Amino acid sequence: ETGVTQTPRHLVMGMTNKKSLKCEQHLGHNAMYWYKQSAKKPLELMFVYSLEERVENNSVPSRFSPECPNSSHLFLHLHTLQPEDSALYLCASSQDILAGDEFGTQYFGPGTRLLVL
Amino acid sequence: QKEVEQNSGPLSVPEGAIASLNCTYSDRGSQSFFWYRQYSGKSPELIMFIYSNGDKEDGRFTAQLNKASQYVSLLIRDSQPSDSATYLCAVNNYGQNFVFGPGTRLSVLP
């Protein structure tokens, strides 16, 4: 596998379910991101992990819980979601800009299309 | 509040014409600038990045940056129907402060 991969690609869940989204990057990057993209809205940055530590959390509801066990893997744990959480969830990775590689270019995975019923 | 603004469009151009996409940003400390293309239902893919004032060309694409005026643009020459997509401008100010604009929808008419 190359680039950034995400599983599952599609997910349908009820409001009482618990599920997890997985992201894996094969680019040797040290920063990973979760974004939410709803219909007709710009990308919303949810979480950033750099060197496996969370560095930014944009007041995302606690029903979303990220986990970054190492620099190659990122999870988003979901529980008691609401229908308005239905969206495309995108993972991205980059090399920390302080390392001077491509000025922090982000590379995206294919996304997980989530539907909450 | 760091903001990146784009016209939402749709911007319609005939096949073979030049498409011009514009983006303005509010943070004067921004250092690097990116253009992504996103087809409907797909994830964004990087087209170009630029960090110095002036023009940068890559095939049919030219990015233009003017830091004094705080704008960055993307020109697409010889537009093709396959260029029809949403184009996202993104701005980075070192580290993970990466802000996306809302995107401009481009439609290239055959």
Side-chain angles (χ1 to χ4, degrees), chain B residues 27-94:
Chain B
D27 184 4
R28 284 196 170 274
S30 299
Q31 298 293 327
S32 50
F33 308 85
F34 305 81
W35 283 101
Y36 287 81
R37 177 176 61 199
Q38 186 174 25
Y39 292 110
S40 180
K42 303 294 185 182
S43 58
E45 54 180 331
L46 181 69
I47 298 176
M48 295 185 70
F49 67 91
I50 186 170
Y51 47 86
S52 297
N53 277 326
D55 296 357
K56 179 181 179 182
E57 187 174 321
D58 184 2
R60 295 187 296 113
F61 299 96
T62 299
Q64 299 175 316
L65 175 61
N66 184 325
K67 288 186 178 181
S69 300
Q70 294 177 245
Y71 85 80
V72 57
S73 63
L74 179 70
L75 301 178
I76 307 175
R77 290 182 299 281
D78 189 24
S79 296
Q80 301 298 309
S82 59
D83 294 325
S84 298
T86 296
Y87 289 80
L88 303 172
C89 172
V91 174
N92 196 358
N93 179 10
Y94 290 122

Side-chain angles (χ1 to χ4, degrees), chain B residues 95-108:
Chain B
Q96 290 75 41
N97 188 14
F98 208 96
V99 181
F100 281 87
T104 296
R105 191 156 54 93
L106 173 66
S107 177
V108 180

Side-chain angles (χ1 to χ4, degrees), chain A residues 45-92:
Chain A
L45 180 63
M46 300 176 72
F47 300 104
V48 181
Y49 276 85
S50 178
L51 301 175
E52 301 164 35
E53 293 186 1
R54 188 191 303 178
V55 296
E56 183 171 346
N57 177 348
N58 290 280
S59 300
V60 175
S62 60
R63 56 186 183 268
F64 295 92
S65 175
E67 177 189 1
C68 187
N70 55 62
S71 60
S72 299
H73 294 85
L74 184 65
F75 295 90
L76 186 62
H77 303 299
L78 316 172
H79 64 97
T80 60
L81 294 192
Q82 304 299 310
E84 60 265 29
D85 296 322
S86 299
L88 179 67
Y89 288 83
L90 292 162
C91 173

Side-chain angles (χ1 to χ4, degrees), chain B residues 10-32:
Chain B
L11 173 66
S12 296
V13 300
E15 185 174 356
I18 296 176
S20 178
L21 305 163
N22 298 314
C23 171
T24 59
Y25 59 94
S26 62
D27 184 4
R28 284 196 170 274
S30 299
Q31 298 293 327
S32 50

